[in-house]
Amino acid sequence: MTTASAVEAVFRIEQARVIAAAARIVRDVGIAEEIAQDALVSALEKWPDSGVPEKPGAWLTAVAKRRAVDLVRRRENYARKLAEVGRSLEHAAEPPPAEPSPDSGPEADIDDDLLRLIFTACHPVLPTRARIALTLRLLGGLTTEEIARAFLATEAAVAQRIARAKRSLAAADVPFEVPYGPDRAARLDSVLEVVYLVFNEGYSATKGDDWVRPALCEDALRLARVLAALLPNEPEVHGLAALLELQASRIPARTGPDGSPVLLADQDRTRWNRLLIRRGFAALDRAAVPGVPPGPYVLQAAIAACHAQALRYEDTDWAVIVTLYGQLAAVRPSPVVELNRAVAVAMAEGPETGLALVDAIAGDPELKDYHLLPSVRGDLLARLGRWDAAREEFLAAAALARNDRERELLLTRAERAEQPEQPGQPGRAEQSEQAERAERAAGEPGRTGPGPDVVPGG
Amino acid sequence: MPRFLTLIRLDENNLPEDGFSPEMGERMGALLKEITEAGVMLDTAALTPTSQGRRVTYSGGTLTGTDGPFTETKEVIGGYSIIQAKDLAEAEEWANRFLKVHDEVWTVTCEIRQISED
């Protein structure tokens, strides 16, 4: 007797592949998702009596493919696509064998289907938020409710966003394919960006009262690991995986017992997760391809690796970090990267030099409402003993911060700047972590390139 | 998403003579690929026999060390994995798949324990 929870566990594990296999036939992710749900219903009906089949994934996929083929055949408006799919349907329509032989379809096919699904869900035709919701739904296996909770949105809004995204893909007639042409790099970038943004929302939430929402980080990390397995020859994919593994290793140390943020300089490094650090370094090794200049994610991962290597904050090799930020600024120029470079320079060469760099970019319109600009200025001014100016900056930063925890921290720092003789006065820069969240006017998360941002602390 | 430690227990004195059949090795490789591609596997390894191990016990303020093999328990830990899964049911499904790649001559137990995240 198989319990429903066991069947559902199997389904959750297989869901993305089942959707992907169906989508290749019906060429519509929305319909494919419904078909996958139908396959789950079949399993829930049959498995409790017959037991879980030897290859449950193959069973579910075969059922879904069969339904997909039926649907394509039934619907006249799919006639054209039927021709496209052609003879492969005949093969796909075979009933699931009772005991699928190991060679019942090459693995590569399934991997390709999954990649097609990923590239489709992250298609640039969709607004960023829609890509995020659709990717978490179809590939992360999150329910609409889980996505809504993670992004502090209503379930109705998320459901609507996903439905609209599916319609947009269908309306734009987006081909269900893995791009190999000249647009591959841009398309891959779009995929990486989605995973990156999901992670960042978990890593330092843009709104609400939680400083960190680890569940979202884990969902993103899982997606990054899946990508690294499916696209082993893409250095930037390993770079993203490395970056997220290394960032995630710090999560246990990033919040104090009361939930308040703990700055990188003040973190108890014994709480960093060594397994994730080791995985991060391994991914970074895989990302290194001789003769290929490192891309933005690899460079950010290398910066994160510098922090991970330092057993104490005092051991941080700021000179190397300055160099890496220089390279990052060259491949993906953005004022946010410059801001981070300024922080590293301040650590390597002194706050005066860092402040000059910050002031040089302070007028950039992109940083106008960016709370980390005054936050960094405040920190550097405090280190120069200019308390009044520092206090003003911390207050300005607090007014711009959208995360409650972050705002509290900045207000605390403003208070301390009034009493510089107090212990606990930060005398060290807040070097940060990547979490680029320049919000567009439309409230659409966007970015000018993956930029580390100077979150107060790590 | 919780992490789980799976402890693979087996009777090291009654292992199948042929050890891994080539087919089993192949199935194991395919499963490892699958679980890695699912983004689930964090770390896994097999352990050398307990005859190469050592136990150190602290009791009453004194340390006592003993050499392997650890014969007092029938089943010893022969391997482990650290996986990340949504819940125990999902972790168990992966454990089932791991167990099922073994040839029928094997007797293997998979103990699934959630890692405390506090």
Side-chain angles (χ1 to χ4, degrees):
Chain A
M1 179 72 194
T2 306
T3 62
S5 79
V7 176
E8 280 165 12
V10 171
F11 182 73
R12 277 207 310 268
I13 289 171
E14 303 296 342
Q15 187 180 21
R17 287 168 186 268
V18 176
I19 293 171
R24 182 160 52 89
I25 296 167
V26 297
R27 309 266 152 170
D28 182 301
V29 294
I31 295 169
E33 193 190 359
E34 286 168 25
I35 288 172
Q37 292 292 338
D38 287 348
L40 169 64
V41 172
S42 294
L44 284 167
E45 286 166 355
K46 294 200 172 73
W47 294 359
D49 298 329
S50 63
V52 177
E54 194 62 31
K55 297 205 167 175
W59 192 97
L60 288 164
T61 304
V63 169
K65 279 182 171 176
R66 213 170 43 232
R67 283 175 192 254
V69 171
D70 289 347
L71 193 71
V72 171
R73 288 200 170 130
R74 253 200 330 266
R75 296 195 176 189
E76 280 186 7
N77 59 346
Y78 277 99
R80 183 175 48 79
K81 295 190 179 191
L82 180 62
E84 273 174 37
V85 180
R87 290 173 52 86
S88 65
L89 288 185
E90 298 306 323
H91 177 69
E94 287 166 18
E99 278 303 316
S101 54
D103 55 358
S104 61
E107 277 291 314
D109 273 4
I110 301 180
D111 289 356
D112 275 353
D113 286 348
L114 206 49
L115 278 174
R116 287 187 188 100
L117 184 62
I118 292 169
F119 277 104
T120 305
C122 298
H123 198 281
V125 75
L126 300 173
T128 308
R129 285 199 308 194
R131 289 178 220 169
I132 288 172
L134 199 58
T135 302
L136 287 174
R137 176 79 202 90
L138 298 178
L139 292 142
L142 273 73
T143 62
T144 310
E145 186 198 356
E146 284 171 325
I147 298 169
R149 207 172 339 134
F151 286 88
L152 307 184
T154 64
E155 206 177 329
V158 172
Q160 197 178 29
R161 193 176 300 163
I162 291 173
R164 200 179 305 132
K166 289 171 180 169
R167 282 199 302 274
S168 302
L169 288 172
D173 210 10
V174 167
F176 191 70
E177 64 180 11
V178 178
Y180 284 104
D183 65 341
R184 180 179 168 94
R187 293 285 308 277
L188 180 60
D189 207 45
S190 170
V191 171
L192 299 179
E193 182 192 28
V194 164
V195 177
Y196 181 82
L197 289 171
V198 171
F199 184 90
N200 277 332
E201 184 55 34
Y203 203 62
S204 38
T206 44
K207 54 185 177 185
D209 53 6
D210 286 331
W211 164 239
V212 184
R213 294 205 288 276
L216 260 188
C217 295
E218 286 162 1
D219 287 318
L221 202 41
R222 184 190 271 205
L223 287 169
R225 289 168 184 153
V226 169
L227 282 176
L230 291 174
L231 294 165
N233 300 320
E234 294 285 354
E236 278 289 89
V237 175
H238 294 300
L240 176 71
L243 174 64
L244 302 193
E245 299 273 10
L246 291 166
Q247 303 277 54
S249 73
R250 299 204 279 262
I251 288 174
R254 290 181 82 238
T255 42
D258 59 348
S260 60
V262 180
L263 305 186
L264 182 63
D266 302 323
Q267 284 172 17
D268 172 359
R269 298 187 173 211
T270 61
R271 303 196 58 187
W272 289 1
N273 184 314
R274 308 312 302 183
L275 172 60
L276 294 184
I277 289 175
R278 191 155 54 81
R279 290 180 56 87
F281 277 102
L284 196 52
D285 279 346
R286 280 192 290 275
V289 182
V292 177
Y297 287 109
V298 174
L299 288 167
Q300 289 177 90
I303 292 165
C306 281
H307 290 300
Q309 264 170 319
L311 292 176
R312 298 173 311 158
Y313 183 73
E314 294 72 27
D315 302 335
T316 311
D317 192 338
W318 292 106
V320 172
I321 292 175
V322 169
T323 306
L324 288 166
Y325 272 124
Q327 289 176 283
L328 184 58
V331 296
R332 196 64 72 89
S334 96
V336 175
V337 173
E338 282 306 316
L339 185 61
N340 280 280
R341 199 170 69 86
V343 172
V345 167
M347 290 307 294
E349 301 169 29
E352 196 84 55
T353 323
L355 191 60
L357 287 175
V358 172
D359 289 343
I361 53 165
D364 194 298
E366 201 182 310
L367 298 177
K368 190 169 73 72
D369 298 322
Y370 195 51
H371 68 286
L372 295 175
L373 174 66
S375 165
V376 167
R377 279 202 92 236
D379 185 68
L380 297 178
L381 289 164
R383 287 171 60 200
L384 291 164
R386 294 162 58 183
W387 306 112
D388 289 347
R391 185 172 160 271
E392 291 303 314
E393 294 288 350
F394 285 135
L395 289 173
L400 290 172
R402 293 173 47 184
N403 176 290
D404 298 349
R405 292 291 189 176
E406 220 169 340
R407 187 176 314 112
E408 285 164 24
L409 178 85
L410 288 160
L411 290 171
T412 306
R413 301 198 70 191
E415 265 172 53
R416 284 192 193 155
E418 289 179 13
Q419 307 150 315
E421 68 284 351
Q422 282 240 325
Q425 169 61 43
R428 297 175 290 185
E430 319 158 337
Q431 170 64 18
S432 102
E433 318 230 15
Q434 297 61 359
E436 157 88 11
R437 287 184 315 277
E439 300 283 326
R440 293 194 198 124
E444 186 70 36
R447 63 135 217 256
T448 51
D453 87 17
V454 196
V455 170
Chain B
M1 214 184 308
R3 290 180 304 148
F4 297 88
L5 172 67
T6 60
L7 297 165
I8 315 303
R9 296 179 186 275
L10 36 77
D11 179 354
E12 64 179 348
N13 299 316
N14 288 304
L15 293 178
E17 279 177 26
D18 305 337
F20 264 51
S21 68
E23 294 79 16
M24 179 171 150
E26 220 166 276
R27 291 195 298 270
M28 191 71 84
L31 176 76
L32 193 64
K33 178 176 182 288
E34 184 187 2
I35 193 166
T36 303
E37 283 188 0
V40 169
M41 181 64 80
L42 296 183
D43 191 27
T44 183
L47 305 184
T48 58
T50 62
S51 56
Q52 297 175 39
R54 181 119 170 109
R55 255 185 202 164
V56 190
T57 306
Y58 181 70
S59 175
T62 48
L63 289 170
T64 328
T66 47
D67 284 330
F70 309 135
T71 48
E72 72 288 354
T73 41
K74 192 169 177 305
E75 287 194 321
V76 297
I77 296 170
Y80 75 93
S81 79
I82 296 175
I83 62 173
Q84 191 146 28
K86 287 219 162 174
D87 55 23
L88 183 62
E90 213 172 285
E92 184 177 348
E93 170 60 22
W94 286 113
N96 291 344
R97 292 184 189 190
F98 166 78
L99 293 170
K100 282 196 294 195
V101 302
H102 290 74
D103 291 327
E104 285 182 16
V105 291
W106 286 76
T107 300
V108 194
T109 304
C110 207
E111 182 179 320
I112 309 161
R113 304 280 302 277
Q114 185 169 336
I115 293 173
S116 166
E117 302 285 356
D118 312 330

